[in-house]
Amino acid sequence: MKLHRIKGLMMRHLYLYKRSVPRLMDIFYWPVMELLLWGFISSFIEKMNLGGFNAVTVLIGAVIFWDLMSQSQRAVSVAFLEEVWERNFLNIFVTPLRVSEFLASTFILAAVRVILVGSVMSVLALVFYHFNLLTFGFALIPFVANLLIFGSVLGIFTTAIILRYGTSAQVLAFGFLMLLEPFTAVFYPVSALPVAIQWISYTMPSTYVFEGMREVIATGEFSYPLFWGAVGTNIIYAVVIIWFFSRMFAYVKRNGKLLKLD
Amino acid sequence: MTSKNSIIEVKGLAKEFNRVPAVRGISFDVYEGEICGLLGPNGAGKTTTIQMILDLITPTAGTIKIFGKEMKGNREEILGAMNFSSPYVALPGNLTAWENLATFARLYGVLDIKGTIHSLADFFDIRALLPKMTSSLSTGQLTRLNLTKALLNSPKLLLLDEPTSSLDPDIADRTRKMLVKIRNERKVTMLYTSHNMEEVEEICDRVVFLQKGIVKDFGTPNELIAKYGRKDLNDVFLAIAREHGIDKED
Ligand SMILES: Nc1ncnc2c1ncn2[C@@H]1O[C@H](COP(=O)(O)OP(=O)(O)OP(=O)(O)O)[C@@H](O)[C@H]1O
Ligand SMILES: [Mg+2]
């Protein structure tokens, strides 16, 4: 991997972001709206006084974490779609750029977005709802890192699908995570799901993060089994999906679709 | 012949798309410092061949050596020393001309980005266009921007797919003169597709004729004109494309 090429691709996206209101909205508008919505809901629930249930912490923590994961996924998918929309894929791949460098640049973009959005959301949560994200302490780093990685890997997955099936599949880039949301125990514990489908939850790294987050809120303890659950499933997803992506890339090269991606 | 140094060596190259052959086992060489025309009717396989040379399409069979090496294991070295331009492959319209050039300069690892862009922009007379959005440029300006991009890494080999199509005769003529100048001043080897036979006669040292995925003939324009007994390359094209034999007037 060569840094100057990764930097080249990142700068290309920064050029776009700095003068594009819709792109900035995609980063800040949704998270802020979601934070407001869930913030009000949780303050309302708290006022109902449901003994011991700390609605603000549980729900706002969940909404921030969920948004960070979805930012990460969208950052990766959209970075790829920008090249497809502008039919630039061919130009960048006649340079010495490697596919791994392309993916690395989208991962770094995702990380930058996660840090930006995370900071904005945590400041707003503190101001509006007196929710301090830093109460998670050191656990914040493994939580966010696992969500960042899982989000990016899912971003690579949607990218691979769009490579294979063309831009008619691009709705996946924006809606794919919704498909997982009910099963990955974002706002409620896995135990709230029907027993028959609980195993689905445990196939996803995000489930371990959200369970771990609630564990910290409830007991103040950071659960290592849950942490390793997240890391382990993340590694499996990363390996399988990067392999899948490379197969789809080879498919596109075999079928001469790199120039005709649309 | 032995003194000629092959920059591209294509051997037995074939490509099928879903079992339909587009290129059927072609072999040809492109020699150092020449402008080689890759000619043929629509659908002959020119673009497919160029894309296989660029490693954007995986061949079904055959080998391609560039600078004497295969792409596998030498990708960075080979792609770093060549470039590509085609009006059909535009640069992102939502970046300025400068941003596009700076991005590709970084992708090619150009050290003096500013200096390189400025000197090429002067050569192509697009300095004033650099702050403009790429989408706002005219076709002729875009062609020059594309060529500027194609020279950022001081390539030793340029692949050009119909570089003058959609240009008015004046800009097309100036673009051809620029290409010849680039070849002469920078010793760049070029593989060039075009449907304009007059232009090919003017600037190509040698041509390779493809039809239905097969190399029908090759040689210098004058050799082919003499061989087919025609008055110019356009008539040679018609003779080959319509599968008339040598010296058979219609
Ligand atoms: N991605 C693809 N999938 C299926 N068939 C393809 C693909 N690309 C090219 N072909 C087919 O391969 C053949 C050669 O096409 P190619 O684009 O190489 O021709 P060309 O010589 O560049 O033609 P033109 O002068 O029109 O540009 C054509 O029959 C074309 O339909
Ligand atoms: Mg073509």
Side-chain angles (χ1 to χ4, degrees), chain A:
Chain A
M1 288 214 215
K2 285 274 164 60
L3 217 57
H4 60 83
R5 294 199 287 262
I6 295 175
K7 184 180 161 200
L9 282 184
M10 298 206 29
M11 295 287 288
R12 172 229 190 300
H13 290 285
L14 294 185
Y15 289 143
L16 282 178
Y17 279 103
K18 79 175 183 213
R19 61 168 163 259
S20 166
V21 177
R23 284 183 184 82
L24 290 175
M25 286 232 324
D26 184 44
I27 301 186
F28 295 109
Y29 176 80
W30 301 113
V32 169
M33 284 305 141
E34 237 165 296
L35 183 72
L36 286 180
L37 176 70
W38 284 96
F40 290 132
I41 293 177
S42 45
S43 321
F44 171 67
I45 295 175
E46 202 130 278
K47 279 191 201 110
M48 298 197 306
N49 228 334
L50 304 174
F53 177 61
N54 192 350
V56 168
T57 324
V58 171
L59 294 181
I60 293 191
V63 84
I64 293 178
F65 281 164
W66 177 253
D67 241 290
L68 295 186
M69 179 167 141
S70 117
Q71 283 290 330
S72 165
Q73 181 264 329
R74 278 214 307 285
V76 171
S77 303
V78 171
F80 162 76
L81 279 172
E82 300 275 12
E83 309 295 3
V84 176
W85 290 329
E86 293 299 316
R87 295 154 180 276
N88 195 34
F89 233 61
L90 195 142
N91 286 320
I92 62 175
F93 280 110
V94 301
T95 75
L97 182 76
R98 290 161 185 274
V99 177
S100 57
E101 291 163 346
F102 175 79
L103 293 179
S105 76
T106 64
F107 177 75
I108 298 171
L109 278 172
V112 171
R113 258 173 86 153
V114 160
I115 291 170
L116 269 177
V117 173
S119 314
V120 171
M121 284 181 96
S122 50
V123 168
L124 290 180
L126 188 63
V127 172
F128 289 146
Y129 310 110
H130 309 293
F131 168 82
N132 188 353
L133 199 64
L134 296 177
T135 50
F136 287 114
F138 121 94
L140 205 54
I141 295 169
F143 286 163
V144 173
N146 270 307
L147 293 175
L148 167 67
I149 291 168
F150 189 45
S152 312
V153 166
L154 292 178
I156 295 173
F157 176 70
T158 54
T159 299
I161 297 286
I162 298 168
L163 264 180
R164 172 66 180 77
Y165 294 101
T167 44
S168 51
Q170 65 178 291
V171 60
L172 277 182
F174 302 99
F176 184 66
L177 280 200
M178 303 268 211
L179 220 63
L180 311 185
E181 200 172 0
F183 305 105
T184 193
V186 186
F187 297 107
Y188 40 77
V190 176
S191 58
L193 287 167
V195 178
I197 60 166
Q198 288 185 3
W199 64 271
I200 300 177
S201 307
Y202 290 112
T203 62
M204 290 180 264
S206 41
T207 305
Y208 298 92
V209 173
F210 291 111
E211 293 281 87
M213 175 201 80
R214 280 183 291 267
E215 184 102 356
V216 171
I217 294 171
T219 69
E221 296 283 315
F222 178 76
S223 159
Y224 278 93
L226 287 172
F227 168 69
W228 288 116
V231 171
T233 44
N234 245 334
I235 291 173
I236 295 170
Y237 275 96
V239 169
V240 171
I241 285 175
I242 288 173
W243 170 82
F244 177 67
F245 181 89
S246 67
R247 291 296 305 266
M248 290 302 112
F249 199 78
Y251 166 89
V252 165
K253 277 173 71 172
R254 262 200 323 280
N255 289 280
K257 287 195 173 155
L258 216 47
L259 180 60
K260 302 179 171 152
L261 269 181
D262 53 20

Side-chain angles (χ1 to χ4, degrees), chain B residues 207-210 214-219 224 227-228 240 246:
Chain B
V207 300
V208 173
F209 247 107
L210 282 188
I214 291 172
V215 175
K216 278 283 173 170
D217 219 331
F218 58 89
L224 290 178
K227 180 173 170 185
Y228 286 79
I240 296 178
I246 294 170

